[in-house]
Amino acid sequence: YKVDSIELGVAGNLTKNWQVFGGYTLLDSEIVNGGGNAAGLAVAGKQFPNTPRSSYSLWTTYAVMPKLTIGGGAFYTSRVYGNTANTKWVPSYTRFDAMATYVIDKNVSLQLNVQNLTDKTYFNQAYSSHYASIAPGRSAVLALNVKY
């Protein structure tokens, strides 16, 4: 088994109130030798199961007011195969998330996170049988954060 890869990331402030974070990963996976039998030879040169060739994320936050920050981002994953023969796969997908944070005082804040903002149905894992995992639909979490 062999993987040649590259990972790039960026992070910074575009303005005093606006932050951006991003990353890209390329995984060039290859089954070099699947074993000495005919089945092993048939998968040589194929991609690893459940290993996306490429993925990226882009996230941004903006402090609308001193106590209120909003943010959002996109997450992409390319097609993944569920078997070593690369005959079963789930398609690529892009998911969008959002968040808002409100600072109540120096020790207490509220944060709302919404994942899969568009409630898109997509699969996040494939299996060698005919099964695939459906990713969660839209979900929201409201957290009370306390520092001491």
Side-chain angles (χ1 to χ4, degrees), residues 6-10 22-27 53-57 76:
I6 186 168
E7 183 176 4
L8 304 170
V10 296
Y24 175 76
T25 302
L26 173 68
L27 298 172
R53 179 162 172 76
S54 62
S55 59
Y56 73 79
S57 63
Y76 167 82

Side-chain angles (χ1 to χ4, degrees), residues 59-62 68-73 97-102 110-115 117:
W59 185 261
T60 184
T61 61
Y62 188 80
L68 178 63
T69 300
I70 60 171
D97 298 346
M99 61 77 67
T101 300
Y102 184 77
L110 282 172
Q111 183 165 335
L112 175 65
N113 293 317
V114 181
Q115 187 175 335
L117 195 60

Side-chain angles (χ1 to χ4, degrees), residues 60-106:
T60 184
T61 61
Y62 188 80
V64 178
M65 299 182 301
K67 292 188 171 205
L68 178 63
T69 300
I70 60 171
F75 301 88
Y76 167 82
T77 298
S78 64
R79 169 196 326 210
V80 296
Y81 294 100
N83 61 353
T84 55
N86 292 174
T87 58
K88 298 177 181 178
W89 69 88
V90 295
S92 64
Y93 66 87
T94 302
R95 186 189 80 224
F96 299 95
D97 298 346
M99 61 77 67
T101 300
Y102 184 77
V103 177
I104 297 169
D105 64 31
K106 70 178 186 169

Side-chain angles (χ1 to χ4, degrees), residues 121-141:
T121 300
Y122 65 94
F123 302 93
N124 59 358
Q125 189 170 10
Y127 296 97
S128 59
S129 60
H130 61 279
Y131 296 107
S133 293
I134 297 176
R138 183 184 308 121
S139 62
V141 175

Side-chain angles (χ1 to χ4, degrees), residues 14-57:
L14 297 178
T15 69
K16 184 177 93 174
N17 296 340
W18 188 7
Q19 295 182 321
V20 177
F21 310 90
Y24 175 76
T25 302
L26 173 68
L27 298 172
D28 186 15
S29 69
E30 179 185 2
I31 300 171
V32 177
N33 183 344
N37 59 22
L41 295 173
V43 299
K46 303 293 185 179
Q47 188 174 321
F48 294 178
N50 287 301
T51 304
R53 179 162 172 76
S54 62
S55 59
Y56 73 79
S57 63

